[in-house]
Amino acid sequence: MKIDFFACSFFHVLHGFKRELYNIKNFHTHSEIYWENVGDDIQDSMNSELNDADKEDHESIVDAYVEELIYAKSISPNFHRETILVSLYNQVEFTLLRYCSLFNQEVMQQHDNFGKLSNRSALKNIADYLDNTCRFNSDSYKEEWQYLRCIKFIRNCLVHSNGIVLKNFDEIQTFCNENNHFNIRYNSIDIEKGAIDDFIGVLFRFFEKLDTEKDLFVRSYVAQYGAPEIPLPNGALAASGTSSGPQTNIKESP
């Protein structure tokens, strides 16, 4: 069966998510700058008061500012990074599930299998579907996929145990050793500045590679079954000088 891939929803899903990644990256960058500026402002205010005060008042001045400093330099940025990581992973998983389900409907001409794929072990189900049905070469994005698996472990720690590592400790520790902005401190996940930028960078590479695999699949499919016959609009026929009458079809690769 000849398929007009460009008219398929699945064909555009990965590209659409990459556009969303740019928006998320910009939001995250502005948030990091905001908290850094807030922390610097609090520090400057405290230093100014210390310079103008007698030494015996220094301790009370520091005590008055210390809670604000902790929130601005540690608690609030960490909360932001944890929230971004959880939300971003959830969006990635949802996007891949939607992609596979649309592929199943539009290319395989079968049922909507979103619920089946997401029912249990969603990430493994996605990997199997991309391998076995989409015929993607998983070796091409093996490094990014392993990174995403470890992000899921970290996400699970944040969601289910307030960041405490109760499962997959060795894999998470290995991941942290290989990625400088992630750490385990006192058995809890610590997401440092730069970690979210790293995550987004990996996702850009990952989705680029998936798009490449998609293009290879489309070329292979067209080579086997042929390109669809796409009718020219009447206006295009008139502009080209072709007389009106029975509509002419042309073959056009997606």
Side-chain angles (χ1 to χ4, degrees):
M1 180 183 66
K2 296 178 182 180
I3 296 175
D4 179 5
F5 285 97
F6 197 76
C8 293
S9 297
F10 98 90
F11 190 85
H12 306 280
V13 167
L14 302 182
H15 182 69
F17 185 75
K18 283 187 287 183
R19 290 202 309 270
E20 286 299 311
L21 275 180
Y22 282 108
N23 295 330
I24 294 168
K25 180 177 176 61
N26 286 336
F27 167 73
H28 169 66
T29 298
H30 288 306
S31 297
E32 288 282 6
I33 292 171
Y34 170 78
W35 286 115
E36 185 173 340
N37 289 340
V38 169
D40 289 344
D41 288 344
I42 295 171
Q43 186 75 54
D44 290 344
S45 295
M46 183 180 72
N47 291 340
S48 178
E49 287 199 34
L50 289 172
N51 290 334
D52 294 337
D54 296 330
K55 278 192 175 181
E56 57 266 26
D57 296 324
H58 282 193
E59 184 175 349
S60 60
I61 292 172
V62 171
D63 287 343
Y65 279 96
V66 67
E67 186 173 353
E68 284 186 84
L69 277 171
I70 291 173
Y71 268 90
K73 289 183 173 291
S74 179
I75 294 176
S76 295
N78 287 343
F79 180 78
H80 162 75
R81 292 169 198 149
E82 291 173 2
T83 303
I84 286 283
L85 184 141
V86 171
S87 177
L88 190 51
Y89 174 82
N90 290 346
Q91 289 184 62
V92 170
E93 188 174 283
F94 176 86
T95 299
L96 293 175
L97 286 167
R98 180 168 174 260
Y99 181 82
C100 292
S101 184
L102 288 171
F103 186 96
N104 208 53
Q105 296 171 75
E106 296 174 334
V107 178
M108 305 306 295
Q109 299 295 302
Q110 295 182 14
H111 59 281
D112 176 358
N113 62 346
F114 185 99
K116 180 179 179 181
L117 291 173
S118 62
N119 188 35
R120 189 177 181 86
S121 302
L123 206 58
K124 182 181 184 304
N125 295 339
I126 293 167
D128 291 343
Y129 191 89
L130 294 176
D131 275 349
N132 301 327
T133 303
C134 300
R135 301 294 181 183
F136 285 5
N137 175 19
S138 58
D139 286 341
S140 69
Y141 49 83
K142 182 178 180 180
E143 182 178 342
E144 290 78 14
W145 191 265
Q146 181 58 31
Y147 185 103
L148 187 60
R149 284 185 69 251
C150 291
I151 289 293
K152 180 173 185 177
F153 295 151
I154 292 172
R155 174 260 182 201
N156 289 345
C157 292
L158 295 173
V159 171
H160 301 299
S161 56
N162 199 32
I164 299 173
V165 183
L166 300 178
K167 296 180 179 179
N168 308 109
F169 187 93
D170 290 341
E171 288 186 88
I172 295 175
Q173 182 66 72
T174 299
F175 175 83
C176 291
N177 292 340
E178 296 172 351
N179 295 273
N180 294 331
H181 300 119
F182 292 88
N183 287 292
I184 299 178
R185 290 196 175 94
Y186 307 109
N187 290 330
S188 293
I189 292 295
D190 184 30
I191 303 174
E192 298 177 353
K193 183 178 180 181
I196 300 301
D197 291 312
D198 290 347
F199 182 22
I200 292 174
V202 171
L203 289 179
F204 273 124
R205 295 197 302 272
F206 176 51
F207 277 83
E208 284 288 346
K209 291 180 178 181
L210 287 182
D211 246 345
T212 298
E213 290 299 318
K214 178 258 295 176
D215 291 341
L216 291 173
F217 171 85
V218 170
R219 290 174 193 166
S220 175
Y221 192 100
V222 169
Q224 182 175 358
Y225 297 104
E229 294 184 349
I230 305 173
L232 281 172
N234 288 330
L237 291 172
S240 66
T242 306
S243 61
S244 60
Q247 195 161 5
T248 303
N249 289 341
I250 61 168
K251 286 191 175 182
E252 194 175 276
S253 297

